[in-house]
Amino acid sequence: MTRLKRERLPSRKVFTAVAGAIAEWLFAIVPLIVLSIVLSHLQHGGDVLESAEWSFGASVLAGQGVVRFVSGLVKGQDLSVDRVLLGVSAALVFVVVPANIVLALVLMNKEADPTKHLSSLMVTAQVSLFVVASLLFIVAASFGHLWARRSED
């Protein structure tokens, strides 16, 4: 059985991949920055964490992370069905589905009584999902970039 020697990635390539992912992520948080500025201007700054934008953003970032992950594997021609299924399944089960459930609950709560504040559990859940989705996106997008680049080298 021949074992292939794994190349250690140069830190410059890793830095470039992570920087690219963070650059994309920054555009994903623009609506949250705008929301924060507007609500603060209206003296409702405390309502920022109750906005459905957090759950929506978590769902979109996790979905984009899955796309970048799979795209990198396919471009890199290093397609391992098990690896793809694990990555996609984990993202769906732990981030995308919960983020969409929380999004639906937040929207239902606001529709039922717009003056009622969200429970601290819902606020914590949606902000936590956004943080997890952000990390997932940055890691998945970076790996996807690195795998795709390996096929070009």
Side-chain angles (χ1 to χ4, degrees), residues 4 62 65 115:
L4 296 174
T115 62

Side-chain angles (χ1 to χ4, degrees), residues 5 8 16 24 30 34 41 61 69-70 87 89 109 136 140 145:
K5 184 179 174 186
R8 187 166 173 94
T16 300
E24 289 181 46
V30 167
V34 171
H41 175 72
L61 281 171
F69 178 78
V70 172
S89 298
N109 183 65
L136 170 72
H145 176 81

Side-chain angles (χ1 to χ4, degrees), residues 39-60:
L39 289 178
S40 295
H41 175 72
L42 296 173
Q43 298 177 349
H44 295 287
D47 295 342
V48 170
L49 297 179
E50 293 186 17
S51 171
E53 294 292 329
W54 293 95
S55 297
F56 180 77
S59 179
V60 170

Side-chain angles (χ1 to χ4, degrees), residues 24 58-72 87-88 91 96 133-144 147:
E24 289 181 46
S59 179
V60 170
L61 281 171
Q64 289 288 33
V66 168
V67 169
R68 295 291 302 270
F69 178 78
V70 172
S71 175
V88 171
V96 176
S134 294
L135 293 173
L136 170 72
F137 174 78
I138 291 168
V139 170
S142 297
F143 275 115
W147 285 328

Side-chain angles (χ1 to χ4, degrees), residues 5-23:
K5 184 179 174 186
R6 289 191 170 211
E7 287 183 26
R8 187 166 173 94
L9 289 171
S11 61
R12 183 179 189 103
K13 288 183 180 179
V14 173
F15 177 76
T16 300
V18 172
I22 291 173

Side-chain angles (χ1 to χ4, degrees), residues 115-133:
T115 62
K116 185 178 176 187
H117 290 285
L118 288 179
S119 69
S120 60
L121 176 64
M122 293 308 281
V123 170
T124 302
Q126 71 174 0
V127 172
S128 297
L129 284 166
F130 183 83
V131 170
V132 169

